[in-house]
Amino acid sequence: FLGGFRPTRPTDVDGEEGADGVVDKKGAAPFAWEDGPLIKAMRDGDILLVDELSLAEDSVLERLNSVLEPGRTLTLPEKGGSEVEELVAHPNFLLLATMNPGGDFGKKELSPALRNRFCEIWVGATGDVSEMEQICVRRIPEPELKPYAGHLARFWEFYREIAGRGAARAALLTRDLVAWAQFVRAAATGAGS
């Protein structure tokens, strides 16, 4: 995420090329720092999308606090050297993040300090069968297979109605419906073989 030390390659190091075409790497460090996606986006003014933010280690999440402050800085002691680098984000840098609610299996809530630095947009689950059918239709574009999109959506609705409000209802999610639609298409078109 931040970066790290990576083994150097002959093209990464300055050295003298001998008559045999081999680069003499005597005295060259075996590892060199390589910026990770966060640092690259901060330097270049890019948008960084962090998917499933709440699954990251707490130590990584806490490093984002200073990046999301008005000063938008990140101190990089990991790089080593005689001076610690303090990176200031490019003015166009943006950080977007997604996550599922903390109550989901294996998920946790963000710390209040980090959560307050984001603008939250809640997108609730849908229960509309026509919307589910449209999701399936996009995964099964072949005209001869389109009726299956409706069948899948109606089964999804049927299951959710009989499952009630318990754990069984939560066992069938939109991503399952998408996977079924992709399976139907792959099985019918031979795309999976």
Side-chain angles (χ1 to χ4, degrees):
F1 193 64
L2 294 175
F5 286 96
R6 307 283 186 258
T8 56
R9 295 176 292 278
T11 57
D12 295 340
V13 257
D14 294 329
E16 297 291 322
E17 187 173 318
D20 56 0
V22 176
V23 176
D24 178 15
K25 297 193 306 181
K26 291 180 185 161
F31 296 93
W33 177 265
E34 188 174 309
D35 290 343
L38 174 63
I39 295 174
K40 286 180 184 176
M42 288 179 70
R43 287 190 200 282
D44 299 340
D46 291 334
I47 297 173
L48 178 65
L49 172 63
V50 182
D51 191 26
E52 295 288 358
L53 178 69
S54 60
L55 296 179
E57 296 283 333
D58 288 336
S59 60
V60 172
L61 293 176
E62 292 307 317
R63 295 295 300 275
L64 290 177
N65 284 333
S66 64
V67 174
L68 299 171
E69 285 288 322
R72 298 164 38 109
T73 61
L74 181 64
T75 305
L76 299 168
E78 296 90 347
K79 289 180 76 170
S82 59
E83 293 187 24
V84 174
E85 181 180 354
E86 186 165 307
L87 176 63
V88 177
H90 186 282
N92 294 337
F93 168 71
L94 292 173
L95 179 71
L96 303 175
T98 67
M99 66 178 273
N100 287 310
D104 286 356
F105 179 76
K107 309 288 192 310
K108 61 183 183 243
E109 291 292 336
L110 297 179
S111 71
L114 184 59
R115 191 171 181 171
N116 288 336
R117 288 169 171 82
F118 283 99
C119 174
E120 289 185 34
I121 300 172
W122 173 263
V123 179
T126 183
D128 182 30
V129 71
S130 64
E131 188 173 346
M132 290 296 118
E133 185 171 355
Q134 287 302 311
I135 289 171
C136 289
V137 164
R138 289 181 176 257
R139 301 305 188 284
I140 309 174
E142 293 80 9
E144 66 276 10
L145 297 177
K146 282 197 183 205
Y148 291 102
H151 298 315
L152 289 172
R154 283 188 292 286
F155 176 78
W156 180 84
E157 180 184 42
F158 164 75
Y159 179 84
R160 293 181 59 87
E161 283 175 4
I162 64 165
R165 298 201 174 274
R169 181 182 178 128
L172 184 60
L173 304 171
T174 305
R175 68 177 57 133
D176 298 316
L177 189 64
V178 168
W180 287 350
Q182 290 170 333
F183 172 78
V184 167
R185 181 175 188 222
T189 62
S193 48

